[in-house]
Amino acid sequence: MQSANVNRATPYLFLAPAALVMAVALLYPIGYMIYASFLDWNPSQRIGEAEFVGLRNYINLLGDAAFRESFYVTLKFATVVVSLEMVLGVGLALLLDRNIRGMSVLRTLFILPMMIAPIVVGLMWRYMYHPSVGVFNRTLKSLGLDPIPWLSDGNWAFASVVIADIWQWTPFIFILSLAALQSLPQSAMEAARIDGATGWQQVIYIKLPLMMPVLIVTLLLRLIDAFKVLEVILVLTNGGPGLSTEILSLRISRTASEFRELGEAAAMSNYLLILLVILTFAMFAYNKATEARTARLRKAAEEDV
Amino acid sequence: MADKSYDKQNPAYYALLVALVVMAVGPIAMMLMTSLKLNVDIMSDTSSLLFMPTLRNYETALCDFLWYEAPHIDYCDKTFGRALINSLTISLISTVLTLVIGCMAAYALVRFRFMGRDTVSLSTLAMRMVPPAVLLVPVFGIWTFQFQIDGTRAGIILVYVAMNLPFVIWILQSFIVQVPIQLEEAARMDGAGPFQVFFLVVLPLIKPGLAAAAIFTFRVAWNEFLLANALADRNSRTVPVTIVNSITEFDIDWGVIMATGMLLAIPPIIFTFVASRQIITGMTAGAVKG
């Protein structure tokens, strides 16, 4: 009798710690943030003392040119970075998908940039972009060209940040697409070869369509992460010059710590979160749709037999 | 892989490979080189690969761990040494906690099936999408005013465990599903209780999954800056926080800061070389299996 009770309680015992930690340190803060976004709250006040201002923070933000600018910079950054990385990553995977010695060493080297701390990535790029001792300007100078104001001119600063992100994250897409490529059915490729498809035709009509499900998921994962980038930009430019590289995450942290407007920062976080929720649901819906489609196709195929 | 036949490729292919490797590793190598240079060499107009490597910058950063007197240090700044110890404690403890808690939860979700896999993968995705910047305001407020654990290592550990749990639960699930249930049934026949089955039968079988999860958790905790910056006080600062603090100053001591950056980068680099297979598994599991 007692052991039956223990057995019935077991799953809850196993789950309880995880549920507790996530409830206390993840769900509660998020709920708290949603509540805080309706308050006029500065860091020296307890939350109970803060004044309830309804939607004022949200409306203020919509009218705030600096916020709109940083929203735009975030979207621009995410779009530019993710599209360039997709093209480069998938391209390299198609190019390097050969059976060669040392492929695993190569993959190991390629994941290094993603593993080290974003702070450190920012640090080494900042050094390389340095106006006088950085390697880029030194090379330009030794070639007799004019130095480039990598981090001190708005447009160049944006480009510099994009380059650093591409360096760090293209390998992610490369490795996922390589995994997708190597799990493609060999029979399809062989059939195409026998039918005389050229290399390009194989890529466009066979490989890419078959990789599509993985590519879409990769794209969305990368897109979500691109909205979370903060440390690299913080170290490289701290959002400047002007607002040229101030992405939303950075603006949230500055609004909270420098301008001491916790309510507004929370409202900003909510805008960012809404954007990401839409993306995530798109991804989940896409997953479900493809699963349903493959199930339907399989069923149809079985009925034909 | 058993087959040892490799395709022959043309030289352009290898040239491309070399170029890519140089691009991927170059910046890291440059950081290593700078960290071994004296400031005179860093600032000199003739940049070159030829210089006298020196460990001085590392000695400056780690001065309170030195067992000998380094002649060039007049004043020992203990900030970095303390931060290094904080980083190590926080990352290790949060990794162990996350693994233990996450493993139990994953096991319960798989074996007692009272929530669908869909619920779990949806919530994992949902948690993955929450940027640390979004947690910044509420975590700061709650930790300071309600739990009063701001500025403590425990407070930072708590956020890290919570942040990492969804991913760990999700990745371990996919490993636990593969453990044959017959093994567990056999153990139960022999009189093992549910906890014995879990710790003595299941855990040893999912070691690769545990390794992947451990690396990912450790890396997140070790590299994280934003929340640590908001929560830590002078005594609980982690390495990323001290690095950012020292570059906002006007005059950057590149040699020392590159040495600290290198020290921060070394553990992840070691993991990468030791366990790249597990890392790639962890990374691809997210997308390829959905």
Side-chain angles (χ1 to χ4, degrees):
Chain A
M1 190 60 208
Q2 204 194 350
S3 88
N5 270 340
V6 168
N7 278 339
R8 204 169 313 139
T10 314
Y12 298 98
L13 281 181
F14 273 86
L15 264 182
L20 187 74
V21 170
M22 287 204 275
V24 166
L26 217 57
L27 295 179
Y28 178 50
I30 292 174
Y32 192 92
M33 178 203 67
I34 294 170
Y35 172 62
S37 67
F38 300 112
L39 302 175
D40 181 10
W41 182 29
N42 76 54
S44 54
Q45 286 171 308
R46 297 177 146 271
I47 193 161
E49 300 160 7
E51 190 193 346
F52 188 84
V53 293
L55 285 173
R56 202 182 73 192
N57 289 326
Y58 290 92
I59 295 165
N60 280 355
L61 280 179
L62 286 182
D64 180 3
F67 170 74
R68 283 204 309 252
E69 175 70 22
S70 104
F71 198 82
Y72 167 71
V73 170
T74 313
L75 286 180
K76 187 167 82 169
F77 176 77
T79 327
V80 171
V81 154
V82 172
S83 33
L84 286 175
E85 285 167 11
M86 282 304 283
V87 172
L88 284 174
V90 176
L92 286 177
L94 288 170
L95 215 56
L96 298 185
D97 177 28
R98 315 264 171 92
N99 185 17
I100 57 155
R101 184 176 277 128
M103 198 53 172
S104 61
V105 178
L106 213 62
R107 266 191 304 212
T108 308
L109 292 178
F110 282 164
I111 54 179
L112 276 179
M114 293 183 263
M115 296 300 288
I116 57 183
I119 290 287
V120 177
V121 172
L123 201 60
M124 53 205 196
W125 282 88
R126 181 156 168 175
Y127 177 68
M128 293 196 291
Y129 286 138
H130 192 283
S132 56
V133 300
V135 63
F136 294 130
N137 274 358
R138 273 203 166 141
T139 316
L140 287 175
K141 214 160 111 192
S142 64
L143 294 175
L145 299 168
D146 282 337
I148 289 176
W150 291 106
L151 297 175
S152 48
D153 169 85
N155 291 329
W156 276 112
F158 186 79
S160 309
V161 169
V162 166
I163 293 172
D165 196 81
I166 289 178
W167 176 77
Q168 198 187 2
W169 288 106
T170 304
F172 176 74
I173 291 167
F174 169 75
I175 283 174
L176 287 187
S177 0
L178 197 63
L181 261 179
Q182 290 176 341
S183 64
L184 292 186
Q186 284 305 312
S187 52
M189 237 84 82
E190 218 159 283
R193 250 193 313 271
I194 292 168
D195 288 347
T198 62
W200 275 109
Q201 282 172 331
Q202 283 182 36
V203 167
I204 292 170
Y205 296 111
I206 314 282
K207 289 182 182 169
L208 282 181
L210 283 175
M211 283 162 76
M212 211 32 101
V214 178
L215 288 187
I216 302 252
V217 176
T218 312
L219 175 84
L220 282 165
L221 281 178
R222 190 58 211 114
L223 204 56
I224 290 172
D225 284 348
F227 283 102
K228 303 202 300 196
V229 172
L230 171 102
E231 283 101 336
V232 176
I233 301 185
L234 176 88
V235 174
L236 275 179
T237 64
N238 198 9
L243 294 178
S244 54
T245 54
E246 186 165 273
I247 51 156
L248 266 184
S249 299
L250 207 54
R251 183 148 192 93
I252 293 171
S253 100
R254 285 186 62 196
T255 315
S257 56
E258 282 174 39
F259 315 144
R260 300 171 70 79
E261 291 278 357
L262 291 185
E264 204 162 287
M268 225 181 269
S269 315
N270 258 340
Y271 275 128
L272 181 60
L273 206 54
I274 291 168
L275 191 73
L276 288 170
V277 166
I278 295 172
L279 277 177
T280 309
F281 272 95
M283 170 159 162
F284 206 69
Y286 177 82
N287 255 350
K288 282 276 140 249
T290 39
E291 260 169 43
R293 204 184 59 202
T294 37
R296 208 170 50 236
L297 287 178
R298 194 176 305 134
K299 210 168 147 219
E302 275 163 13
E303 272 165 11
D304 282 348
V305 176
Chain B
M1 255 185 258
D3 72 303
K4 281 268 174 257
S5 67
Y6 293 103
D7 307 342
K8 265 228 158 66
Q9 304 297 339
N10 67 21
Y13 179 79
Y14 286 108
L16 175 70
L17 281 188
V18 171
L20 285 174
V21 169
V22 168
M23 268 194 267
V25 185
I28 304 174
M30 193 163 299
M31 175 167 71
L32 178 64
M33 260 163 45
T34 312
S35 73
L36 295 173
K37 279 182 186 174
L38 292 176
N39 274 337
V40 196
D41 287 327
I42 296 174
M43 291 303 167
S44 78
D45 275 336
T46 51
S47 87
S48 69
L49 297 172
L50 289 175
F51 63 92
M52 270 303 288
T54 164
L55 283 176
R56 275 198 186 188
N57 296 320
Y58 290 90
E59 284 172 347
T60 312
L62 296 172
C63 59
D64 47 340
F65 300 129
L66 291 183
W67 59 93
Y68 56 91
E69 284 288 310
H72 63 96
I73 302 173
D74 316 321
Y75 164 71
C76 176
D77 184 3
K78 292 202 163 90
T79 327
F80 182 77
R82 199 164 47 207
L84 195 63
I85 294 192
N86 281 333
S87 265
L88 275 175
T89 351
I90 290 175
S91 317
L92 285 177
I93 295 181
S94 66
T95 307
V96 171
L97 282 177
T98 317
L99 281 191
V100 173
I101 297 175
C103 215
M104 287 164 55
Y107 180 68
L109 286 173
V110 172
R111 277 297 178 251
F112 306 102
R113 30 180 117 223
F114 58 55
M115 262 195 274
R117 265 181 77 79
D118 271 359
T119 327
V120 182
S121 43
L122 182 63
S123 52
T124 315
L125 255 180
M127 287 308 156
R128 177 173 178 147
M129 116 206 140
V130 176
V134 168
L135 287 175
L136 178 68
V137 174
V139 163
F140 172 77
I142 297 172
W143 267 227
T144 313
F145 295 122
Q146 299 188 343
F147 301 166
Q148 301 189 333
I149 46 172
D150 60 308
T152 62
R153 294 183 198 90
I156 302 176
I157 290 172
L158 178 61
V159 201
Y160 288 169
V161 172
M163 260 174 36
N164 280 317
L165 265 180
F167 179 75
V168 165
I169 293 178
W170 181 64
I171 190 125
L172 287 179
Q173 246 192 25
S174 62
F175 281 89
I176 294 177
V177 167
Q178 295 165 8
V179 175
I181 190 131
Q182 288 82 354
L183 275 179
E184 291 175 47
E185 278 163 0
R188 215 163 297 142
M189 293 296 229
D190 293 342
F195 284 90
Q196 278 171 310
V197 171
F198 175 67
F199 282 106
L200 299 178
V201 179
V202 179
L203 273 195
L205 286 173
I206 55 166
K207 270 185 198 146
L210 287 174
I215 290 171
F216 273 84
T217 341
F218 183 88
R219 174 181 149 261
V220 170
W222 180 256
N223 291 349
E224 208 279 337
F225 160 74
L226 190 65
L227 293 168
N229 186 40
L231 293 176
D233 64 8
R234 261 184 84 248
N235 293 315
S236 51
R237 266 185 207 146
T238 57
V239 178
V241 179
T242 54
I243 291 186
V244 171
N245 282 347
S246 55
I247 48 166
T248 41
E249 288 156 21
F250 178 70
D251 186 25
I252 298 178
D253 188 346
W254 281 111
V256 175
I257 207 166
M258 286 310 210
T260 54
M262 205 58 219
L263 288 170
L264 187 64
I266 284 172
I269 292 178
I270 293 176
F271 286 141
T272 312
F273 281 108
V274 173
S276 62
R277 189 177 295 265
Q278 278 83 354
I279 294 170
I280 291 171
T281 315
M283 223 156 28
T284 44
V288 181
K289 280 186 207 147

